[in-house]
Amino acid sequence: ETGPFHSIPYLWSDQHGTKMRAIGQFSAGMEQRVVVQTDDKLVAVFGDGDVITGAVCVGSPRHLAQYKQAIANRMPWREFRDELAIVPV
């Protein structure tokens, strides 16, 4: 028997040649960590202190799959900090 279906909220936009993607849930009061920041890329991940809850990827859509998996698996925030905080640009 399978459990109920739970989708992860997803938003995307392409603006002036830049791909912007957001996944999961996040708000200003949550813990956040910027994992990539260059002149043309930004990747930030959000958590509620216990698990990863969301991510924003600007100019770096290939990182999104990694964070979608982490959100779906309810990856602990602490584990994220140790394993996924450093990503190649």
Side-chain angles (χ1 to χ4, degrees):
E1 183 176 316
T2 61
F5 174 76
H6 296 285
S7 66
I8 298 172
Y10 175 71
L11 167 79
W12 65 269
S13 181
D14 292 341
Q15 299 291 321
H16 306 285
T18 299
K19 296 182 183 310
M20 294 180 261
R21 308 290 187 260
I23 192 162
Q25 298 178 344
F26 45 89
S27 66
M30 296 183 130
E31 290 186 60
Q32 54 186 301
R33 178 171 231 160
V34 175
V35 294
V36 173
Q37 186 172 11
T38 67
D39 289 343
D40 60 346
K41 295 180 182 179
L42 173 70
V43 177
V45 180
F46 298 82
D48 65 4
D50 294 324
V51 297
I52 294 174
T53 60
V56 174
C57 301
V58 178
S60 192
R62 67 187 176 97
H63 289 106
L64 198 69
Q66 162 182 352
Y67 299 118
K68 181 178 181 180
Q69 186 76 27
I71 294 165
N73 292 336
R74 298 189 47 80
M75 177 182 248
W77 182 252
R78 189 172 119 178
E79 187 177 324
F80 157 76
R81 287 191 336 236
D82 295 343
E83 292 185 18
L84 298 181
I86 307 300
V87 294
V89 177

CSV table of all heavy atoms in Angstrom, one decimal, residues 1-46:
chain,number,residue,atom,x,y,z
A,1,GLU,N,0.8,-1.2,0.0
A,1,GLU,CA,0.0,0.0,0.0
A,1,GLU,C,0.9,1.2,0.0
A,1,GLU,O,1.9,1.3,0.7
A,1,GLU,CB,-0.9,0.0,1.2
A,1,GLU,CG,-1.9,1.1,1.3
A,1,GLU,CD,-2.8,1.0,2.4
A,1,GLU,OE1,-3.3,-0.1,2.7
A,1,GLU,OE2,-3.0,2.1,3.1
A,2,THR,N,0.5,2.2,-0.7
A,2,THR,CA,1.3,3.5,-0.8
A,2,THR,C,0.6,4.5,0.1
A,2,THR,O,-0.6,4.5,0.3
A,2,THR,CB,1.4,4.0,-2.2
A,2,THR,OG1,0.1,4.2,-2.7
A,2,THR,CG2,2.1,3.0,-3.1
A,3,GLY,N,1.4,5.5,0.5
A,3,GLY,CA,0.9,6.6,1.3
A,3,GLY,C,0.4,7.7,0.4
A,3,GLY,O,0.4,7.6,-0.8
A,4,PRO,N,-0.1,8.8,1.0
A,4,PRO,CA,-0.6,9.9,0.3
A,4,PRO,C,0.5,10.5,-0.6
A,4,PRO,O,1.7,10.5,-0.2
A,4,PRO,CB,-1.1,10.8,1.3
A,4,PRO,CG,-0.4,10.5,2.6
A,4,PRO,CD,-0.1,9.0,2.5
A,5,PHE,N,0.1,11.1,-1.7
A,5,PHE,CA,1.0,11.8,-2.6
A,5,PHE,C,1.3,13.2,-2.0
A,5,PHE,O,0.4,13.9,-1.7
A,5,PHE,CB,0.4,11.9,-4.0
A,5,PHE,CG,1.3,12.7,-4.9
A,5,PHE,CD1,2.4,12.2,-5.5
A,5,PHE,CD2,0.9,14.0,-5.3
A,5,PHE,CE1,3.2,12.9,-6.3
A,5,PHE,CE2,1.7,14.8,-6.1
A,5,PHE,CZ,2.8,14.2,-6.7
A,6,HIS,N,2.6,13.6,-1.9
A,6,HIS,CA,2.9,14.9,-1.5
A,6,HIS,C,3.9,15.5,-2.5
A,6,HIS,O,5.0,15.0,-2.7
A,6,HIS,CB,3.7,14.8,-0.1
A,6,HIS,CG,2.8,14.3,1.0
A,6,HIS,ND1,1.8,15.1,1.6
A,6,HIS,CD2,2.8,13.1,1.6
A,6,HIS,CE1,1.2,14.4,2.5
A,6,HIS,NE2,1.8,13.2,2.6
A,7,SER,N,3.4,16.5,-3.1
A,7,SER,CA,4.3,17.2,-4.1
A,7,SER,C,5.1,18.3,-3.4
A,7,SER,O,4.7,18.8,-2.4
A,7,SER,CB,3.5,17.8,-5.3
A,7,SER,OG,2.7,18.8,-4.8
A,8,ILE,N,6.2,18.6,-3.9
A,8,ILE,CA,7.1,19.7,-3.4
A,8,ILE,C,6.8,20.9,-4.3
A,8,ILE,O,6.9,20.9,-5.5
A,8,ILE,CB,8.6,19.3,-3.5
A,8,ILE,CG1,8.8,18.0,-2.6
A,8,ILE,CG2,9.5,20.4,-3.0
A,8,ILE,CD1,10.2,17.5,-2.8
A,9,PRO,N,6.4,22.0,-3.6
A,9,PRO,CA,6.2,23.3,-4.4
A,9,PRO,C,7.4,23.6,-5.2
A,9,PRO,O,8.5,23.5,-4.8
A,9,PRO,CB,5.9,24.3,-3.3
A,9,PRO,CG,5.5,23.5,-2.1
A,9,PRO,CD,6.3,22.2,-2.2
A,10,TYR,N,7.1,24.1,-6.5
A,10,TYR,CA,8.2,24.4,-7.4
A,10,TYR,C,7.8,25.7,-8.2
A,10,TYR,O,6.6,25.8,-8.6
A,10,TYR,CB,8.4,23.2,-8.3
A,10,TYR,CG,9.4,23.4,-9.5
A,10,TYR,CD1,10.7,23.5,-9.2
A,10,TYR,CD2,8.9,23.6,-10.8
A,10,TYR,CE1,11.6,23.7,-10.2
A,10,TYR,CE2,9.8,23.8,-11.8
A,10,TYR,CZ,11.2,23.8,-11.5
A,10,TYR,OH,12.1,24.0,-12.6
A,11,LEU,N,8.7,26.6,-8.4
A,11,LEU,CA,8.5,27.8,-9.2
A,11,LEU,C,9.7,28.0,-10.1
A,11,LEU,O,10.9,27.7,-9.7
A,11,LEU,CB,8.4,29.0,-8.2
A,11,LEU,CG,8.5,30.4,-8.8
A,11,LEU,CD1,7.2,30.7,-9.4
A,11,LEU,CD2,8.9,31.4,-7.8
A,12,TRP,N,9.5,28.4,-11.3
A,12,TRP,CA,10.6,28.7,-12.2
A,12,TRP,C,10.2,29.9,-13.1
A,12,TRP,O,9.1,30.2,-13.3
A,12,TRP,CB,10.9,27.5,-13.1
A,12,TRP,CG,9.8,27.1,-14.0
A,12,TRP,CD1,8.8,26.2,-13.8
A,12,TRP,CD2,9.6,27.6,-15.4
A,12,TRP,NE1,8.0,26.1,-14.9
A,12,TRP,CE2,8.4,27.0,-15.9
A,12,TRP,CE3,10.2,28.5,-16.2
A,12,TRP,CZ2,7.9,27.3,-17.1
A,12,TRP,CZ3,9.7,28.8,-17.4
A,12,TRP,CH2,8.6,28.2,-17.9
A,13,SER,N,11.3,30.6,-13.5
A,13,SER,CA,11.1,31.7,-14.4
A,13,SER,C,12.4,31.9,-15.2
A,13,SER,O,13.5,31.7,-14.6
A,13,SER,CB,10.8,33.0,-13.6
A,13,SER,OG,10.6,34.1,-14.5
A,14,ASP,N,12.3,32.3,-16.4
A,14,ASP,CA,13.5,32.6,-17.2
A,14,ASP,C,13.4,34.1,-17.5
A,14,ASP,O,12.4,34.6,-18.1
A,14,ASP,CB,13.6,31.9,-18.5
A,14,ASP,CG,13.8,30.4,-18.3
A,14,ASP,OD1,14.3,30.0,-17.2
A,14,ASP,OD2,13.5,29.6,-19.2
A,15,GLN,N,14.3,34.9,-16.9
A,15,GLN,CA,14.3,36.3,-17.1
A,15,GLN,C,15.6,36.8,-17.7
A,15,GLN,O,16.7,36.6,-17.1
A,15,GLN,CB,14.1,37.0,-15.7
A,15,GLN,CG,12.8,36.7,-15.0
A,15,GLN,CD,11.6,37.2,-15.8
A,15,GLN,OE1,11.6,38.4,-16.3
A,15,GLN,NE2,10.5,36.5,-15.8
A,16,HIS,N,15.5,37.5,-18.9
A,16,HIS,CA,16.7,38.1,-19.5
A,16,HIS,C,17.8,37.1,-19.6
A,16,HIS,O,19.0,37.4,-19.4
A,16,HIS,CB,17.1,39.3,-18.8
A,16,HIS,CG,16.0,40.3,-18.6
A,16,HIS,ND1,15.6,41.1,-19.7
A,16,HIS,CD2,15.2,40.6,-17.5
A,16,HIS,CE1,14.6,41.9,-19.2
A,16,HIS,NE2,14.3,41.6,-17.9
A,17,GLY,N,17.5,35.8,-20.0
A,17,GLY,CA,18.5,34.8,-20.2
A,17,GLY,C,19.0,34.1,-18.9
A,17,GLY,O,19.9,33.3,-18.9
A,18,THR,N,18.4,34.4,-17.8
A,18,THR,CA,18.8,33.8,-16.5
A,18,THR,C,17.7,32.9,-16.0
A,18,THR,O,16.5,33.3,-15.9
A,18,THR,CB,19.1,34.9,-15.4
A,18,THR,OG1,20.2,35.7,-15.9
A,18,THR,CG2,19.5,34.3,-14.1
A,19,LYS,N,18.1,31.7,-15.7
A,19,LYS,CA,17.1,30.7,-15.2
A,19,LYS,C,17.0,30.8,-13.6
A,19,LYS,O,18.0,30.8,-12.9
A,19,LYS,CB,17.5,29.3,-15.5
A,19,LYS,CG,17.5,29.1,-17.0
A,19,LYS,CD,17.9,27.6,-17.4
A,19,LYS,CE,18.0,27.4,-18.8
A,19,LYS,NZ,16.9,27.8,-19.6
A,20,MET,N,15.8,31.0,-13.1
A,20,MET,CA,15.5,31.1,-11.7
A,20,MET,C,14.6,30.0,-11.3
A,20,MET,O,13.6,29.8,-11.9
A,20,MET,CB,14.9,32.5,-11.4
A,20,MET,CG,15.8,33.7,-11.6
A,20,MET,SD,15.0,35.2,-11.2
A,20,MET,CE,14.5,35.7,-12.9
A,21,ARG,N,15.0,29.3,-10.3
A,21,ARG,CA,14.2,28.1,-9.8
A,21,ARG,C,14.1,28.2,-8.3
A,21,ARG,O,15.1,28.6,-7.6
A,21,ARG,CB,14.9,26.8,-10.1
A,21,ARG,CG,15.3,26.7,-11.6
A,21,ARG,CD,14.0,26.5,-12.5
A,21,ARG,NE,14.3,26.2,-13.8
A,21,ARG,CZ,14.3,27.1,-14.8
A,21,ARG,NH1,14.0,28.3,-14.6
A,21,ARG,NH2,14.5,26.7,-16.1
A,22,ALA,N,12.9,27.9,-7.8
A,22,ALA,CA,12.7,27.8,-6.3
A,22,ALA,C,11.9,26.5,-6.0
A,22,ALA,O,11.0,26.2,-6.8
A,22,ALA,CB,12.0,29.0,-5.8
A,23,ILE,N,12.3,25.8,-5.0
A,23,ILE,CA,11.6,24.6,-4.7
A,23,ILE,C,11.4,24.5,-3.1
A,23,ILE,O,12.3,25.0,-2.4
A,23,ILE,CB,12.4,23.4,-5.2
A,23,ILE,CG1,11.6,22.1,-5.1
A,23,ILE,CG2,13.8,23.3,-4.5
A,23,ILE,CD1,12.1,21.0,-5.9
A,24,GLY,N,10.3,23.9,-2.7
A,24,GLY,CA,10.1,23.7,-1.3
A,24,GLY,C,9.4,24.9,-0.7
A,24,GLY,O,8.8,25.7,-1.4
A,25,GLN,N,9.6,25.1,0.6
A,25,GLN,CA,8.9,26.1,1.3
A,25,GLN,C,10.0,26.9,2.1
A,25,GLN,O,10.9,26.2,2.7
A,25,GLN,CB,7.9,25.6,2.3
A,25,GLN,CG,6.7,24.9,1.5
A,25,GLN,CD,5.7,24.4,2.4
A,25,GLN,OE1,5.9,24.2,3.6
A,25,GLN,NE2,4.5,24.1,1.9
A,26,PHE,N,9.9,28.2,2.2
A,26,PHE,CA,10.9,29.0,2.9
A,26,PHE,C,10.3,30.3,3.2
A,26,PHE,O,9.4,30.8,2.5
A,26,PHE,CB,12.2,29.1,2.2
A,26,PHE,CG,12.1,29.4,0.7
A,26,PHE,CD1,12.0,30.7,0.3
A,26,PHE,CD2,12.0,28.4,-0.2
A,26,PHE,CE1,11.9,31.0,-1.1
A,26,PHE,CE2,11.9,28.7,-1.6
A,26,PHE,CZ,11.8,30.0,-2.0
A,27,SER,N,10.8,31.0,4.2
A,27,SER,CA,10.4,32.3,4.6
A,27,SER,C,11.6,33.0,5.2
A,27,SER,O,12.6,32.5,5.5
A,27,SER,CB,9.2,32.3,5.6
A,27,SER,OG,9.6,31.7,6.8
A,28,ALA,N,11.4,34.3,5.4
A,28,ALA,CA,12.5,35.2,5.9
A,28,ALA,C,13.0,34.7,7.3
A,28,ALA,O,14.2,34.9,7.5
A,28,ALA,CB,12.1,36.6,5.9
A,29,GLY,N,12.2,34.2,8.1
A,29,GLY,CA,12.7,33.8,9.4
A,29,GLY,C,13.4,32.5,9.6
A,29,GLY,O,13.9,32.1,10.6
A,30,MET,N,13.5,31.8,8.5
A,30,MET,CA,14.2,30.4,8.5
A,30,MET,C,15.7,30.5,8.5
A,30,MET,O,16.2,31.6,8.0
A,30,MET,CB,13.7,29.6,7.3
A,30,MET,CG,12.2,29.3,7.4
A,30,MET,SD,11.8,28.2,6.0
A,30,MET,CE,10.9,26.9,6.9
A,31,GLU,N,16.3,29.5,8.9
A,31,GLU,CA,17.8,29.4,8.7
A,31,GLU,C,18.0,29.3,7.2
A,31,GLU,O,17.3,28.7,6.5
A,31,GLU,CB,18.3,28.1,9.4
A,31,GLU,CG,18.3,28.2,10.9
A,31,GLU,CD,19.0,27.0,11.5
A,31,GLU,OE1,20.2,26.8,11.2
A,31,GLU,OE2,18.3,26.2,12.2
A,32,GLN,N,19.1,29.9,6.8
A,32,GLN,CA,19.5,29.9,5.4
A,32,GLN,C,21.0,29.8,5.2
A,32,GLN,O,21.7,30.3,6.1
A,32,GLN,CB,18.9,31.1,4.7
A,32,GLN,CG,19.3,32.4,5.3
A,32,GLN,CD,18.6,33.6,4.6
A,32,GLN,OE1,18.8,33.8,3.4
A,32,GLN,NE2,17.9,34.4,5.3
A,33,ARG,N,21.4,29.3,4.1
A,33,ARG,CA,22.8,29.2,3.8
A,33,ARG,C,23.0,29.4,2.3
A,33,ARG,O,22.4,28.7,1.5
A,33,ARG,CB,23.4,27.8,4.2
A,33,ARG,CG,24.8,27.7,3.9
A,33,ARG,CD,25.4,26.5,4.5
A,33,ARG,NE,26.6,26.9,5.2
A,33,ARG,CZ,27.2,26.2,6.1
A,33,ARG,NH1,26.6,25.1,6.5
A,33,ARG,NH2,28.3,26.6,6.7
A,34,VAL,N,23.8,30.4,2.0
A,34,VAL,CA,24.2,30.6,0.6
A,34,VAL,C,25.3,29.7,0.3
A,34,VAL,O,26.4,29.7,0.9
A,34,VAL,CB,24.6,32.1,0.4
A,34,VAL,CG1,25.1,32.3,-1.1
A,34,VAL,CG2,23.4,33.0,0.6
A,35,VAL,N,25.1,28.8,-0.7
A,35,VAL,CA,26.2,27.8,-1.0
A,35,VAL,C,26.9,28.1,-2.3
A,35,VAL,O,28.0,27.6,-2.5
A,35,VAL,CB,25.6,26.4,-1.1
A,35,VAL,CG1,25.1,25.9,0.3
A,35,VAL,CG2,24.4,26.3,-2.1
A,36,VAL,N,26.3,29.0,-3.2
A,36,VAL,CA,27.0,29.5,-4.3
A,36,VAL,C,26.7,30.9,-4.5
A,36,VAL,O,25.5,31.3,-4.4
A,36,VAL,CB,26.6,28.7,-5.6
A,36,VAL,CG1,27.2,29.4,-6.9
A,36,VAL,CG2,27.0,27.2,-5.6
A,37,GLN,N,27.7,31.8,-4.7
A,37,GLN,CA,27.4,33.2,-5.0
A,37,GLN,C,28.5,33.7,-5.8
A,37,GLN,O,29.7,33.8,-5.4
A,37,GLN,CB,27.3,34.0,-3.7
A,37,GLN,CG,26.9,35.4,-3.9
A,37,GLN,CD,26.6,36.2,-2.6
A,37,GLN,OE1,26.8,35.7,-1.5
A,37,GLN,NE2,26.0,37.3,-2.8
A,38,THR,N,28.2,34.0,-7.1
A,38,THR,CA,29.1,34.6,-8.0
A,38,THR,C,28.4,35.8,-8.7
A,38,THR,O,27.3,36.1,-8.3
A,38,THR,CB,29.6,33.6,-9.1
A,38,THR,OG1,28.5,33.3,-9.9
A,38,THR,CG2,30.1,32.3,-8.5
A,39,ASP,N,29.0,36.4,-9.7
A,39,ASP,CA,28.4,37.5,-10.4
A,39,ASP,C,27.1,37.1,-11.1
A,39,ASP,O,26.2,37.9,-11.3
A,39,ASP,CB,29.4,38.1,-11.4
A,39,ASP,CG,30.5,38.9,-10.7
A,39,ASP,OD1,30.4,39.2,-9.5
A,39,ASP,OD2,31.5,39.2,-11.4
A,40,ASP,N,27.0,35.8,-11.5
A,40,ASP,CA,25.9,35.4,-12.3
A,40,ASP,C,25.1,34.2,-11.7
A,40,ASP,O,24.2,33.7,-12.4
A,40,ASP,CB,26.3,35.2,-13.7
A,40,ASP,CG,27.3,34.1,-13.9
A,40,ASP,OD1,27.9,33.7,-12.9
A,40,ASP,OD2,27.5,33.6,-15.0
A,41,LYS,N,25.5,33.8,-10.5
A,41,LYS,CA,24.8,32.6,-9.9
A,41,LYS,C,24.6,32.8,-8.4
A,41,LYS,O,25.4,33.5,-7.7
A,41,LYS,CB,25.7,31.4,-10.1
A,41,LYS,CG,25.9,30.9,-11.5
A,41,LYS,CD,26.7,29.7,-11.6
A,41,LYS,CE,26.9,29.3,-13.1
A,41,LYS,NZ,27.8,28.2,-13.2
A,42,LEU,N,23.5,32.3,-8.0
A,42,LEU,CA,23.2,32.3,-6.5
A,42,LEU,C,22.4,31.0,-6.2
A,42,LEU,O,21.5,30.6,-6.9
A,42,LEU,CB,22.3,33.5,-6.2
A,42,LEU,CG,21.8,33.5,-4.7
A,42,LEU,CD1,23.0,33.7,-3.7
A,42,LEU,CD2,20.7,34.5,-4.5
A,43,VAL,N,22.9,30.3,-5.2
A,43,VAL,CA,22.2,29.1,-4.7
A,43,VAL,C,22.1,29.3,-3.2
A,43,VAL,O,23.1,29.4,-2.5
A,43,VAL,CB,22.9,27.8,-5.1
A,43,VAL,CG1,22.1,26.6,-4.4
A,43,VAL,CG2,23.0,27.6,-6.6
A,44,ALA,N,20.8,29.3,-2.7
A,44,ALA,CA,20.6,29.4,-1.2
A,44,ALA,C,19.7,28.3,-0.8
A,44,ALA,O,18.7,27.9,-1.5
A,44,ALA,CB,20.0,30.8,-0.9
A,45,VAL,N,19.9,27.7,0.4
A,45,VAL,CA,19.1,26.6,0.9
A,45,VAL,C,18.6,27.1,2.2
A,45,VAL,O,19.2,27.8,3.0
A,45,VAL,CB,20.0,25.4,1.1
A,45,VAL,CG1,19.2,24.2,1.6
A,45,VAL,CG2,20.6,25.0,-0.3
A,46,PHE,N,17.3,26.6,2.5
A,46,PHE,CA,16.6,27.1,3.7
A,46,PHE,C,16.2,25.8,4.5
A,46,PHE,O,16.0,24.8,4.0
A,46,PHE,CB,15.3,27.8,3.3
A,46,PHE,CG,15.6,29.1,2.5
A,46,PHE,CD1,15.8,29.0,1.2
A,46,PHE,CD2,15.6,30.3,3.2
A,46,PHE,CE1,16.1,30.2,0.5
A,46,PHE,CE2,15.9,31.4,2.5
A,46,PHE,CZ,16.1,31.4,1.1
